[in-house]
Structures are given as C-alpha cells and as structure tokens.
C-alpha cells in the first residue's frame, strides 16, 4: 500500500494498492484484448462515447476539482477551471473522431489512398502538476483514434485519473479500453516503456526521465511523444503596456505554485524600463493571495512535497531577492512567491525550478532579447509584450519555442497544438495535430 497526501496539510487522504510489473502486464494484456473491438466501433459511436465522458466530467466538476485540489494543493477556483478544460478536451476529440481521415493521391497507373490506423495499446505516463488535465490531453486523441490505453498517473497524484477511469466506464466506454495503473515510475512506467505489446508512450515529465524513456523505447522502436521541462521567457519591451504586462506576469509563474512546464520563469525586461517594470511587478506579486487551497479566494497553494520545496529553496539560496512573499504558518509544503534579479547564466535562470521563483533579467534591445530568450536548452512556451505588431511577429518567428503568446501569458487551448522545441520534447498535444501522434499512416495503391 502507499499513502496519498494532501500537500496543504501533510496528512494522508487515501491509501492505494501499489501496482508493480505483474499488474502492469495484466493491464497491457487487458488493453490488447480490448483493442480489436474498440477499433471496430463506428466513429460516430466512438464520438458519442467521448461526448458522454465530457458531459460526465462536467457533471462531476465539483467532485473532480475537490480531488485535484486536495491531492495537488491547487486552489479550488483554479481546479474547477481546469476540470472545465478537461470536459472541453473530450468534447473537442469527440468532434475530431470522424474528421481525421486520409487522402487520395493521383499516381501513375492507379489510385493511391491513405488511412489513419490506430497504433494498438498506448502507454500514457503523466506528471503530478496537472494530473487530470494532462491525462485528458493524452486520453482524448488516443481514444478518438481507436487505441486502447494504459494510463500511469504520477505516484503522488493518482486519484483523479482513477476517478476519470470510473467515469469512462459510466460513459459506456467498454471495460479494458481505459486502464489505470498506480505505481512507481521506475517500475510501472519503466515496464510500460519496455513492454513489447505497447506501441507508443505519451509522456509528460522531467527532461531527465524523458531522456530515459526515449532510450528504453529504442528497444522495441516504440513511438514516443515527450512533453518535458521548460524555462520560458516572458519578454517585455519598453513599448509594451507595462501595467498589463506586470499585472499578468506573476500569474504566469506563480499559478500552480510555479509547478508548470509553461511557467514564464525568466522575465526579460528592456533596460530603459527595467526599474519601473520591477516596481510594478513587485506590487503585482504582493497581491497574489497565497493560502488554503480550499478558500475560494486563494490564488496560490503549497508545493507538491517537502522534497520539491527543498529543491526550490536550493535555487534561491545564493541569489538576491527583489521580493519574497509570505506563506501560512504550520503544516503544508509552502514556498513564498519570490522574484530574483539575475543574469541568464545563473542557475536559477538556466534550470527548471518548478516552484514560485521568477528570474528578472535585463536586455538591451530586440536582438539581445532574442539572444537571451533562445539561450536555453529548453523551448516550450513564452510571451512577447509590445505594442509594435511587426516586432511582435518578428520576435515570435525568431524564438526557438513551440507555444508563444503576444500580449498574453496563456498557452493551452483544446483546439491548438501544444509542445516543445529543443529539450522540451517533441510531438504535439491538443488540437488536430495530436491525432497524428496516436495513429499510423497506411498507404494503399490500387492499380486501375
Ligand atoms: O518527474 P518525473 P517528478 C520536473 C520538475 C520536477 C521534476 C521531478 O522539475 O521537480 O521534474 O518531478 C514517471 N520510466 N517536472 O519526479 O520523475 C513518474 O512516475 C517511466 C517537469 O514527478 O519525470 C511520473 O508518472 N516513467 C514536468 C512521470 O514519469 C517514469 C512535469 C513524471 O515523473 C520513470 C513533472 C521511468 N524510469 C515534473 N521514472 C513538466 N515540465 O511538466 C519516473 N516515471
């Protein structure tokens, strides 16, 4: 057995049976047996089942939000919004089921056509920062394409995935199509990656573990999609609406207590407005409401674990803080909102902190901004703040990153592709693009 803990109270909220290799193999076998019947379900019926799942998620919004809030420490208001997105993701893929079709290609001597075939059993490995959301990003397209799945949630946060699997059954998705195995990554995750009957791994987690997944997948030439770490830049030019940029910037780092692969944790500010922007940023950060996740007003909760808190603290140890917020006293893995003045060579600016710490870095001009923003092994997301439209697009094209927003800090929508450049991984989640990662193109020629 293993205990699942509420990070705001440090108290256990559930005890679960820990799965191992045997249970993983059983789940893969079950998914393998269920595959022929599931792939044969008419697309319109598959769409209906996904739509029913979306509706059930909506109907259970409060329950799922409470699970996610207590297991991850997410503020309840934000958790509700996240569950809303999960329902939207399943609605999107319900609509996509019968729209991801092949093409006919005129060729000499006949007709050529392509089919999008499901892969078979896919292994989905998720992180602890957005357990339910990221499960839906993978489950939606995997099921829409006709695959069966074995989902392994992070060991710290398995509860919402287990509840989601129950809702999938209630929606009428046949038994054996969605399997969840809760257990340690190095045992259950590793087994999924090495299993000869698993055709693909959809992974979200750290770059380090992602590298291992890629290596282990080589043994069976498994397909992999990797959504890994980030160290995204929030680039603020002197001609930006500084008030708007400054009031948004804290939420781009401190949402989910900074445990967000899209966190804009490097705030690049043009030198001529640096002091003014820093004042505005400190003011805005002071307003972030940190506290009990169950409180409707709370904007930032605790970190996921004591280990994560220690890791975050190690990044701040040798830096100069421009601002450090307050945290509640007593139990809970709290860490304050922290703004650090840095250069892009400092460790706090180079590595993914995964906590509420932002590095503020000055730049001289547009060229310098692009150079600094790209000077990182990562390339997941980022923002550009300027009132000059041509500059916005010029810089957007120059940045080596997968998901950008201009005069905004948002990154994810059900219908738009999400994924990284460089060591932030490869493959795309969400939108129609994700379907390519859960299907194989078959080419058929007919001689006429
Ligand atoms: O991630 P892991 P952890 C970063 C973040 C955080 C650090 C560690 O910096 O501090 O990673 O977090 C499973 N084969 N991110 O330890 O280990 C594991 O069980 C197969 C960034 O949680 O990468 C979990 O389900 N699977 C990231 C998943 O991989 C394995 C989100 C991710 O765990 C495995 C999460 C193995 N050998 C953490 N070992 C982001 N940027 O979104 C572990 N796992």
């Amino acid at each position: 057995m293993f205990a699942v803990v509420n990070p705001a109270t440090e108290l256990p909220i559930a005890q679960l049976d820990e799965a191992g290799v045997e249970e993983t193999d059983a789940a893969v076998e079950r998914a393998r047996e269920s595959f022929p019947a599931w792939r044969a379900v008419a697309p319109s019926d598959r769409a209906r089942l996904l739509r029913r799942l979306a509706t059930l998620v909506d109907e259970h919004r409060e329950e799922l939000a409470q699970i996610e809030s207590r297991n991850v420490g997410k503020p309840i208001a934000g958790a509700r919004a996240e569950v809303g997105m999960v329902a939207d993701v399943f609605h999107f893929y319900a609509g996509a089921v019968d729209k991801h079709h092949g093409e006919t290609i005129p060729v000499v001597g006949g007709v050529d056509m392509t089919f999008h075939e499901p892969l078979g059993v896919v292994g989905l490995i998720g992180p602890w920062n957005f357990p339910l959301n990221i499960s839906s990003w993978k489950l939606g397209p995997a099921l829409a394409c006709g695959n069966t799945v074995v989902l392994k949630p992070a060991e710290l946060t398995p509860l919402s995935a287990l509840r989601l699997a129950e809702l999938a059954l209630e929606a009428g998705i046949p038994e054996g199509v969605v399997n969840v195995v809760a257990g340690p990554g190095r045992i259950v995750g590793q087994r999924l990656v090495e299993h000869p009957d698993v055709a693909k791994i959809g992974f979200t987690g750290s770059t380090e573990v992602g590298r291992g997944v890629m290596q282990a997948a080589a043994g069976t030439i498994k397909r992999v999609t990797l959504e890994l770490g980030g160290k995204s830049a929030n680039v603020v030019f002197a001609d930006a609406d500084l008030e708007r940029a400054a009031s948004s910037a804290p939420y781009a780092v401190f949402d989910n207590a900074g445990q967000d692969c899209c966190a804009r944790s490097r705030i690049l500010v043009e030198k001529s407005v640096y002091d003014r922007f820093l004042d505005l940023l400190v003011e805005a950060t002071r307003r972030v409401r940190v506290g009990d996740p169950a409180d409707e007003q709370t904007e930032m909760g605790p970190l996921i674990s004591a280990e994560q808190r220690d890791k975050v603290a190690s990044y701040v140890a040798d830096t100069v803080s421009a601002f450090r917020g307050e945290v509640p006293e007593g139990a809970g893995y709290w860490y304050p909102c922290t703004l650090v003045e840095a250069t892009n060579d400092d460790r706090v600016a180079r590595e993914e902190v995964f906590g509420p710490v932002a590095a503020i870095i000055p730049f001289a001009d547009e060229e310098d901004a692009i150079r600094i923003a790209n000077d990182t092994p990562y390339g997941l997301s980022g923002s550009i703040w300027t009132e000059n439209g041509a500059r916005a697009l010029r810089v957007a094209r120059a940045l080596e990153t997968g998901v950008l927003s201009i005069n905004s800090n948002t990154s994810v929508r059900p219908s738009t592709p999400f994924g990284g450049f460089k060591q932030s991984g490869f493959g795309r989640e969400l939108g129609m693009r994700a379907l390519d990662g859960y299907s194989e193109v078959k080419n058929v020629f007919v001689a006429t």
Side-chain angles (χ1 to χ4, degrees):
M1 303 292 285
F2 70 103
V4 178
V5 169
N6 179 340
T9 61
E10 303 183 30
L11 296 172
I13 51 172
Q15 297 281 338
L16 293 188
D17 282 316
E18 184 174 292
V21 169
E22 208 177 303
E23 289 77 13
T24 309
D25 286 354
V28 172
E29 180 57 19
R30 198 69 209 285
R32 203 178 62 83
E33 287 164 7
S34 310
F35 174 59
W38 177 242
R39 79 176 297 183
V41 170
S44 53
D45 288 336
R46 213 149 60 216
R48 237 172 244 124
L49 292 168
L50 283 174
R51 206 163 284 126
R52 176 93 187 102
L53 176 57
T55 305
L56 282 174
V57 168
D58 250 338
E59 287 171 6
H60 291 79
R61 184 187 284 221
E62 187 58 28
E63 180 199 350
L64 290 166
Q66 291 289 349
I67 293 174
E68 205 77 329
S69 175
R70 290 176 204 190
N71 195 173
V72 189
K74 285 177 190 288
I76 186 65
R80 284 189 195 112
E82 284 180 25
V83 179
M85 185 186 175
V86 171
D88 289 348
V89 168
F90 287 123
H91 273 301
F92 178 86
Y93 287 108
V97 169
D98 53 6
K99 295 169 193 67
H100 185 240
H101 38 62
E103 49 188 354
T104 52
I105 306 163
V107 290
V108 175
V111 175
D112 198 284
M113 62 194 107
T114 62
F115 295 88
H116 292 170
E117 306 285 11
L119 299 167
V121 178
V122 299
L124 308 178
I125 300 178
W128 44 256
N129 53 343
F130 294 95
L132 193 61
N133 242 280
I134 291 176
S135 296
S136 75
W137 300 3
K138 299 181 191 309
L139 268 176
L143 295 177
C145 289
N147 303 286
T148 54
V149 311
V150 179
L151 168 64
K152 193 210 88 65
E155 41 272 64
L156 293 172
T157 57
L159 300 182
S160 55
L162 288 164
R163 186 68 185 112
L164 185 64
E166 288 175 349
L167 294 179
L169 274 183
E170 201 179 321
I173 294 173
E175 274 190 36
V177 172
V178 178
N179 305 275
V180 179
V181 191
R186 60 180 197 291
I187 297 170
V188 171
Q190 190 73 24
R191 178 64 185 154
L192 276 178
V193 178
E194 289 171 355
H195 202 297
D197 291 335
V198 174
K200 185 229 163 91
I201 293 288
F203 174 86
T204 300
S206 60
T207 295
E208 192 189 341
V209 174
R211 195 172 286 122
V213 165
M214 202 170 160
Q215 276 164 355
T220 48
I221 315 292
K222 224 176 239 67
R223 283 93 187 102
V224 285
T225 301
L226 301 176
E227 297 293 348
L228 310 174
K231 195 71 205 177
S232 299
N234 190 359
V235 184
V236 182
F237 286 98
D239 66 2
D241 179 338
L242 294 184
E243 278 80 15
R244 254 189 78 211
S247 58
S248 174
Y251 299 96
V253 195
F254 305 135
D255 258 353
N256 215 41
Q259 304 164 123
D260 182 348
C261 49
C262 289
R264 273 79 166 152
S265 54
R266 290 184 300 149
I267 305 179
L268 275 47
V269 187
E270 193 159 353
K271 270 180 192 149
S272 58
V273 294
Y274 183 89
D275 290 340
R276 181 152 161 254
F277 185 82
L278 188 59
D279 287 345
L280 290 169
L281 183 63
V282 167
E283 244 347 274
T285 304
R286 213 184 288 285
R287 290 196 294 270
V288 176
R289 291 188 292 258
V290 182
D292 182 2
D295 184 331
E296 302 282 338
Q297 303 302 317
T298 296
E299 293 175 316
M300 190 177 104
L303 295 174
I304 189 73
S305 63
E307 189 191 351
Q308 190 65 19
R309 182 181 54 195
D310 295 346
K311 184 185 152 195
V312 172
S314 79
Y315 283 100
V316 179
D318 299 324
T319 61
V320 183
S321 292
F323 177 79
R324 258 176 92 77
E326 311 261 310
V327 293
E329 285 184 6
Y333 308 121
W334 304 99
Y335 198 84
C337 293
T338 305
L339 300 173
V340 169
E341 293 193 80
T343 75
N344 201 50
D345 295 326
D346 295 339
R347 185 168 162 253
V348 70
R350 300 220 63 81
E351 296 178 23
E352 185 176 48
V353 176
F354 232 55
V357 179
I360 329 291
I361 303 167
F363 67 83
D365 54 20
E366 187 178 310
E367 198 184 329
D368 198 32
I370 293 169
R371 182 189 60 76
I372 297 172
N374 285 340
D375 179 16
T376 169
Y378 295 111
L380 190 51
S381 62
S383 294
I384 301 159
W385 294 80
T386 172
E387 292 296 299
N388 177 337
R391 161 180 278 167
L393 286 177
R394 207 164 47 232
V395 176
R397 295 299 305 275
L399 294 188
E400 297 158 354
T401 187
V403 190
L404 271 170
S405 41
I406 293 165
N407 295 335
S408 155
N409 285 315
T410 55
S411 294
V412 291
R413 290 165 197 84
S415 57
T416 61
F418 175 84
F421 281 26
K422 304 198 283 190
Q423 292 187 31
S424 288
F426 54 84
R428 290 295 176 267
E429 298 200 291
L430 298 173
M432 295 301 281
R433 295 266 178 186
L435 299 165
D436 295 337
Y438 289 96
S439 55
E440 201 82 85
V441 173
K442 182 184 284 169
N443 187 49
V444 177
F445 170 74
V446 186
T448 55

